[in-house]
Amino acid sequence: MLKTPTIVLNVKTYEEATGNNALEIAILMDKIANETGASMAISVQSTDITLCAQKIKIPVWAEHIDPIKPGSHTGWTLPEAVKAAGAIGTLINHSEHRLILADVDTCITRAKELKLDQIVCSNNVSTSKAIAAFSPDFVAVEPPELIGGDISVTTADPGIVSKSVDAVKAVDKSVKVLCGAGVKNGKDVEKAIELGADGVLLASGIVKASDKENVIRDLASGL
Amino acid sequence: MLKTPTIVLNVKTYEEATGNNALEIAILMDKIANETGASMAISVQSTDITLCAQKIKIPVWAEHIDPIKPGSHTGWTLPEAVKAAGAIGTLINHSEHRLILADVDTCITRAKELKLDQIVCSNNVSTSKAIAAFSPDFVAVEPPELIGGDISVTTADPGIVSKSVDAVKAVDKSVKVLCGAGVKNGKDVEKAIELGADGVLLASGIVKASDKENVIRDLASGL
Amino acid sequence: MLKTPTIVLNVKTYEEATGNNALEIAILMDKIANETGASMAISVQSTDITLCAQKIKIPVWAEHIDPIKPGSHTGWTLPEAVKAAGAIGTLINHSEHRLILADVDTCITRAKELKLDQIVCSNNVSTSKAIAAFSPDFVAVEPPELIGGDISVTTADPGIVSKSVDAVKAVDKSVKVLCGAGVKNGKDVEKAIELGADGVLLASGIVKASDKENVIRDLASGL
Amino acid sequence: MLKTPTIVLNVKTYEEATGNNALEIAILMDKIANETGASMAISVQSTDITLCAQKIKIPVWAEHIDPIKPGSHTGWTLPEAVKAAGAIGTLINHSEHRLILADVDTCITRAKELKLDQIVCSNNVSTSKAIAAFSPDFVAVEPPELIGGDISVTTADPGIVSKSVDAVKAVDKSVKVLCGAGVKNGKDVEKAIELGADGVLLASGIVKASDKENVIRDLASGL
């Protein structure tokens, strides 16, 4: 399980994070994590898990799994396959890849069976609370309207973070909470932790930055 | 583009074809293709494309792409990503992973932009004809009720193959036709070609066989 | 809000419950409810809400709403439209019509805005608990494998009912619980109530019965 | 079958066309069709089919059907149900309600079995051609980026109309073609017919107009 507080990068399907570009970012995060002792993980496209997992020591995560078992499921993402490729955890129900309620349950169950850690994404306080009922490792709350934007959730809507923490803990104290959307620097990370979160989930803040090393170091300083 | 007639294996998400198991099958097909001169390709899970493409010479294909461009699409299958991982083509609209009509169009367009070959799956004659309107490289007709079964489509429903060939060619002569479902041996391949197909698409016939080498050699003998 | 304990019939899209057939069943339930004082409601296809609501006094429900507001949503089910047609409540997330987690939230919110009562369906205990986080009027737990079968959930899996009641009440005491799948007679209804449920949700038990009047009277006797 | 050239109104799920508002528009179109002899039809929400079909003589259409047969399909739109409610035809695959390719085929087949006329929507020339392979009564081409806008497809992109007509007729001469998106007045209708279309499909042009009667009369003058 990820040591907390933590910074989790989701590289999405950005061109700047496909194939060798993903590997470069992974190597950079790995170097900084090693130097600073910061807890960091990187979530990459299915195609790039093996590439990254062979070269870095920080945890490589999948961006998604489908609610399936081995069998006839052409082109879907098998939990066993991301595990075999080297992932140690997986995002579930990202706001860009939402799942049917019963499938959120099945994906969490399948991940637990395979000892894949889980970060399950929510869009508001009541959804965070609902997800807590399935006892995943992490709930990551991200208001969809702030994703990819310039203002951090911790500034734009701090209440959604602290209320999600309260709602999740009321259902299951063992579930940790991340927050995301617009997170860009060390102060945003610090604020997230002040609000009760166990870390942040971010994407464009790193992937789209011109000086990625500087941004990652700054984020790490906020832990 | 695949030399025809051809045999295309879709390994789906079978346990027997995940991670190193996929690689073993890929190496076996590569060896037999090399020895016999048969045109063969293998379509593997996204997670396994790099693993296989680094080790074999026959074409590695993706099982699916999503109708997206680089950007914010967490966990979806980016055409650029399967290309970067080493795939030279992709299945589209497999009966286990059906797409919205407009997305079939978009996926074919995106694959052509990236010079990824396309095999677009259909479930009957009129759907084969509809797909031909998009001028993909191949249409692969597979009656869903025969997929994974013991009787080859070429025996159970030869008319669907010959009529799909006629319907496709009436719309666009340059589109090639494969057939699949229940294909297991060299005679099935021979019959497919007699019916006007340019080859076969199969899955369990190889993946679930106890003596895979024998089965692949027998299939190759039918070309 | 439905008086509890209650019997809610979901007529699905059965031929025996389409158009005038739906109206006949609605009139029959209305008559028996009136005679016996039993709390009963009928959930019908969108096309049949007006037809039934004009003729009966027991509540008419919709089988589904989509997570939309008035606007450009051709062919989707607008909550305002089922309300205008005469529905006083709606099923949400039936196992045959499952919704994305965030859309379960949106549908419940939209229904509350319009004062439409809500029965939100779940497939197991943890999903029942998750749904309770949204505080709908009712959670209806139905194990998918028992739906349409011959054995009542109250006999085949009584634990799923009592555990769902406990899990739901632990999250929000005001949420009521129904159970369904295989419910056919008054004893099943009695047992459901003994297990802590506030009533039953059923479909084929009435719709497919040759003597519907007898079955409805027997069910009502179990309240 | 609709007499051509024709004007088909799709009222979507606009507030101005829900319940009694839909009925008012239907009565207005009916009156003008009767007075002018123009061929017109109105496509309304499932909930409003009965309401409208009982009161008007011009054809009432459904906005959507699902690819199902009578049975266990809670909350989906059964073709038999829209027929029983009084619809004589149905839109299929509207750009706001797109279907999987194989389901476009199934919906057309189901509609033909029930003698429901079909207007199948496409988003571009190649998709229009693909749909023609299924031989529906009408293909309606509507560029999604122009839907709901101020400029008629006949002005903004006349080529998509004439090329769709050619592509559709090359596959099946008996299939008629409508065009839509931004259509607002009689000149747009005239131009559509000049471009080879058999009529127009429109929505906001009528529904959002302050003087609906004037707009409908103007549109009718273009036939």
Side-chain angles (χ1 to χ4, degrees), chain C residues 29-106:
Chain C
M29 283 189 83
D30 192 49
K31 182 182 79 167
I32 297 169
N34 194 39
E35 287 174 23
T36 63
S39 169
M40 293 199 276
I42 182 168
S43 176
V44 301
Q45 297 175 64
S46 286
T47 40
D48 298 328
I49 294 173
T50 299
L51 189 69
C52 295
Q54 289 171 342
K55 297 280 174 62
I56 67 172
K57 287 191 183 150
I58 59 168
V60 174
W61 282 54
E63 296 182 6
H64 176 77
I65 55 171
D66 284 303
I68 56 171
K69 294 197 172 182
S72 300
H73 306 288
T74 300
W76 298 97
T77 305
L78 180 68
E80 278 83 352
V82 305
K83 174 96 179 182
I88 67 99
T90 183
L91 304 186
I92 292 172
N93 195 48
H94 189 274
S95 73
E96 293 155 12
H97 208 144
R98 288 175 171 171
L99 291 170
I100 284 172
L101 171 58
D103 290 341
V104 173
D105 182 24
T106 303

Side-chain angles (χ1 to χ4, degrees), chain A residues 62-76:
Chain A
E63 295 182 7
H64 175 76
I65 55 172
D66 284 303
I68 55 170
K69 295 196 172 183
S72 300
H73 307 288
T74 299
W76 297 98

Side-chain angles (χ1 to χ4, degrees), chain A residues 110-185:
Chain A
R110 293 252 50 225
K112 288 181 179 177
E113 286 167 9
L114 299 171
K115 300 195 191 307
L116 283 166
D117 290 348
Q118 317 99 47
I119 294 175
V120 186
C121 300
S122 80
N123 54 311
N124 60 21
V125 176
S126 57
T127 307
S128 295
K129 187 178 175 185
I131 293 169
F134 301 120
S135 299
D137 295 314
F138 293 90
V139 170
V141 61
E142 300 191 304
E145 66 279 12
L146 299 176
I147 292 180
D150 285 331
I151 303 173
S152 169
V153 60
T154 52
T155 304
D157 191 2
I160 203 178
V161 182
S162 54
K163 286 179 195 163
S164 282
V165 171
D166 291 347
V168 164
K169 301 292 182 184
V171 173
D172 185 339
K173 278 181 197 171
S174 71
V175 177
K176 292 188 166 67
V177 177
L178 304 180
C179 66
V183 173
K184 285 200 163 45
N185 56 47

Side-chain angles (χ1 to χ4, degrees), chain A residues 47-62:
Chain A
T47 40
D48 298 328
I49 295 173
T50 299
L51 190 70
C52 295
Q54 288 172 341
K55 297 279 173 61
I56 65 170
K57 286 191 183 149
I58 59 167
V60 174
W61 282 54

Side-chain angles (χ1 to χ4, degrees), chain D residues 12-58:
Chain D
K12 302 193 173 181
T13 53
Y14 288 120
E15 193 175 3
E16 298 86 346
T18 295
N20 286 324
N21 292 340
L23 181 59
E24 274 182 36
I25 298 175
I27 288 172
L28 188 59
M29 283 189 82
D30 192 48
K31 182 183 79 167
I32 298 169
N34 194 38
E35 286 173 25
T36 63
S39 168
M40 293 198 277
I42 183 168
S43 176
V44 301
Q45 298 175 63
S46 286
T47 39
D48 297 328
I49 295 173
T50 299
L51 190 70
C52 295
Q54 288 171 343
K55 296 280 174 62
I56 66 172
K57 285 190 183 152
I58 59 168

